[in-house]
């Protein structure tokens, strides 16, 4: 994840960046994919950005909300 800039768009449907998601976790108390969605709308359309198993797209996405939760929620 170190390779991703905060401007990287994690959720294409809702145009939500990594920076917005990290802010939701660190500053607004989001601690799950669901609460990130409540705050930022990320993952609330097609759902492909939620996790690899939810990603029915082709090509696959490079970064999932699940990975961000694992890294930033303690
Ligand atoms: S890419 Fe996030 S809901 Fe579609």
């Amino acid at each position: 994840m170190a390779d991703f800039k905060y401007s990287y768009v994690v959720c294409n449907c809702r145009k939500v960046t990594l920076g917005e998601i990290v802010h939701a976790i660190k500053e607004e108390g989001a601690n799950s994919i669901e609460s990130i969605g409540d705050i930022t709308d990320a993952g609330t359309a097609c759902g492909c950005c939620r996790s690899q198993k939810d990603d029915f797209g082709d090509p696959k996405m490079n970064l999932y909300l699940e990975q961000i939760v694992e890294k930033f929620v303690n």
Side-chain angles (χ1 to χ4, degrees):
M1 196 167 314
D3 297 340
F4 292 96
K5 297 194 177 354
Y6 274 8
S7 59
Y8 181 82
V9 176
V10 177
C11 178
N12 291 324
C13 292
R14 303 297 195 195
K15 302 281 181 276
V16 185
T17 63
L18 176 58
E20 291 173 274
I21 294 165
V22 172
H23 185 272
I25 293 169
K26 297 281 183 203
E27 307 297 332
E28 300 182 66
N31 59 6
S32 65
I33 294 173
E34 285 68 30
S35 53
I36 289 169
D38 289 343
I39 294 168
T40 69
D41 277 348
T44 61
C46 75
C48 290
C49 59
R50 294 167 68 93
S51 70
Q52 199 156 19
K53 74 171 167 43
D54 293 313
D55 188 359
F56 55 81
D58 183 18
K60 297 297 176 193
M61 305 193 75
N62 295 312
L63 179 61
Y64 297 104
L65 295 174
E66 183 179 68
Q67 294 169 274
I68 300 168
V69 166
E70 273 171 24
K71 176 152 173 118
F72 289 99
V73 175
N74 36 39

